[in-house]
């Protein structure tokens, strides 16, 4: 009888452990779904870079921006080939810097992507963080990309407008200033 009671307790412990595992898995799935919803709502591209294998993976939005296929993992150079020539070296340097412990693992940069099929430029802001092992070796660089094309266009329009207004105001002020100088000379 005592042996049967022990077996029932063991079964209950195993059932409790399985129940806890199922609850943890359900919670992890729920958190992942919430994160995916936030990423989709915010229109954020997500990336994961494995420096040891030089492999990059990302969500579908990121892959579409870079004109990449649906391959799960690809070489980093395949993605960076879509970065505008004038930005590519700067981005490569920022990635290399983020992979050093001295940087704190921080990665943040703005650059332009040129879609390889359409030629359409897209300005993005990348922000990420490198995870290091206990010896300071980089394990992964994870982060997001945000499309800032419209914001940059708005900033350019604002700067152009301010430049035009500044020029338009300077012209009459220059004329007034010259006229005042003539009046001052003739008053002497």
């Amino acid at each position: 009888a005592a042996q049967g009671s022990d077996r029932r307790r063991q079964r209950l412990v195993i059932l409790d452990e399985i129940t806890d595992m199922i609850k943890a898995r359900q919670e992890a799935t729920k958190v992942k779904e919430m994160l995916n919803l936030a990423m989709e709502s915010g229109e954020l591209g997500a990336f994961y870079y494995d420096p040891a294998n030089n492999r990059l993976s990302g969500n579908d939005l990121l892959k579409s921006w870079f004109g990449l296929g649906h391959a799960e993992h690809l070489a980093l150079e395949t993605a960076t080939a879509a970065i505008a020539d004038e930005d590519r070296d700067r981005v490569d340097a920022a990635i290399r810097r983020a992979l050093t412990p001295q940087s704190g693992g921080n990665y943040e940069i703005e650059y332009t992507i040129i879609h390889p099929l359409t030629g359409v430029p897209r300005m993005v802001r990348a922000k990420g963080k490198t995870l290091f092992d206990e010896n300071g070796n980089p394990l992964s660089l994870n982060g997001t990309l945000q499309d800032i094309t419209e914001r940059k266009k708005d900033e350019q329009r604002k700067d152009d407008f301010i430049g035009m207004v500044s020029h338009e105001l300077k012209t009459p002020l220059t004329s007034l200033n010259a006229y005042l100088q003539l009046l001052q000379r003739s008053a002497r």
Side-chain angles (χ1 to χ4, degrees), residues 33-64:
E33 288 173 0
M34 289 172 38
L35 177 61
N36 285 337
L37 177 61
M39 299 277 294
E40 287 175 18
S41 298
E43 295 180 351
L44 295 173
F47 65 88
Y48 169 87
Y49 175 57
D50 173 6
N53 297 305
N54 193 38
R55 305 306 276 174
L56 177 77
S57 63
N59 65 359
D60 289 340
L61 183 59
L62 178 128
K63 290 177 182 177
S64 72

Side-chain angles (χ1 to χ4, degrees), residues 66-68 114-120:
F66 281 82
L68 303 171
I114 309 295
H115 193 283
L117 301 177
T118 65
V120 174

Side-chain angles (χ1 to χ4, degrees), residues 162-177:
I162 290 171
M164 180 193 68
V165 168
S166 174
H167 175 73
E168 294 298 321
L169 287 175
K170 282 182 186 176
T171 303
L173 289 176
T174 302
S175 299
L176 278 174
N177 193 24

Side-chain angles (χ1 to χ4, degrees), residues 2-152:
Q3 196 175 26
S5 173
D6 285 342
R7 284 193 179 163
R8 276 189 223 109
R9 271 190 233 125
Q10 288 175 343
R11 286 186 193 134
L12 287 175
V13 167
I14 291 171
L15 287 174
D16 279 345
E17 289 174 0
I18 291 172
T19 301
D20 290 345
M21 287 171 39
I22 290 171
K23 286 180 181 177
R25 188 173 297 142
Q26 288 172 337
E27 185 64 27
T29 300
K30 179 179 162 187
V31 168
K32 183 178 178 183
E33 288 173 0
M34 289 172 38
L35 177 61
N36 285 337
L37 177 61
M39 299 277 294
E40 287 175 18
S41 298
E43 295 180 351
L44 295 173
F47 65 88
Y48 169 87
Y49 175 57
D50 173 6
N53 297 305
N54 193 38
R55 305 306 276 174
L56 177 77
S57 63
N59 65 359
D60 289 340
L61 183 59
L62 178 128
K63 290 177 182 177
S64 72
W65 288 350
F66 281 82
L68 303 171
H70 293 286
E72 183 61 30
H73 300 284
L74 43 103
L76 179 64
E77 293 77 19
T78 304
T80 58
I83 296 173
D85 291 340
E86 63 270 14
D87 292 338
R88 193 172 301 122
D89 289 342
R90 207 169 41 83
V91 173
D92 286 341
I95 292 170
R96 283 192 308 275
R97 188 172 42 258
L99 295 175
T100 64
Q102 296 81 7
S103 71
N106 296 314
Y107 174 68
E108 187 168 354
I109 189 169
E110 293 181 358
Y111 58 91
T112 301
I113 302 166
I114 309 295
H115 193 283
L117 301 177
T118 65
V120 174
R122 179 184 308 273
M123 290 173 248
V124 295
R125 177 177 177 261
K127 188 168 176 77
K129 185 82 172 170
T130 301
L131 302 176
F132 298 96
D133 68 14
E134 61 278 351
N135 297 318
N137 299 311
L139 298 172
S140 67
L141 171 58
N142 310 307
T144 59
L145 264 71
Q146 179 182 24
D147 185 343
I148 58 170
T149 305
E150 285 307 311
R151 187 186 88 202
K152 288 293 191 178

